[in-house]
Amino acid sequence: MRAYPALGLAAAAALIGMLGGCTQPPAPAAPASSTQGSILVGSSPAAGSTVEGPINELVLNFDPPARLMEVTVTGPDGTMPTMITPVGEVARYSVPLPGLGPGSYRVDWRASAAGSAHQGSFGFRVQ
């Protein structure tokens, strides 16, 4: 086994300084979720809308038809996971809600279509 001399503190600092310029920049962060180009083509309540409450149903429309795997609704009272029973790839899902009252809500969804995974989010407001 060959021994290597220990670097002095100044030499180690110089080496780190030289190598600092050789590192690759960090990978860019993933872009924010967007409905542009998404397989989610419509919803009720609609993305960005303000609606009268209470809201008892969330409707999601997909093109192409999709297998919805997960939906969560986050609002003034916290996150409400919903029960989804995938039934295959369909164009329209109706998700019952517990009568959402006034406030801002965010919907996060995850689905697959034609063997590809998709996800997205959108918000709406209830008055």
Side-chain angles (χ1 to χ4, degrees):
M1 177 182 228
R2 182 172 176 186
Y4 293 96
L7 291 176
L9 186 55
L15 181 60
I16 291 170
M18 288 187 310
L19 293 176
C22 297
T23 60
Q24 294 183 1
S33 180
S34 166
T35 56
Q36 182 179 5
S38 174
I39 65 169
L40 180 68
V41 295
S43 66
S44 178
S49 67
T50 299
V51 296
E52 295 291 324
I55 303 299
N56 297 309
E57 175 185 51
L58 172 66
V59 177
L60 302 174
N61 297 305
F62 293 95
D63 186 19
R67 179 181 179 144
L68 186 61
M69 295 178 286
E70 182 180 4
V71 175
T72 57
V73 179
T74 305
D77 296 329
T79 299
M80 298 168 276
T82 58
M83 258 328 241
I84 302 296
T85 304
V87 294
E89 293 183 349
V90 296
R92 182 181 187 272
Y93 285 87
S94 175
V95 179
L97 295 174
L100 301 182
S104 294
Y105 294 88
R106 176 184 165 115
V107 176
D108 293 291
W109 59 269
R110 191 169 53 87
S112 65
S116 296
H118 301 270
Q119 65 184 29
S121 62
F122 65 92
F124 63 89
R125 184 164 176 74
V126 177
Q127 33 181 29

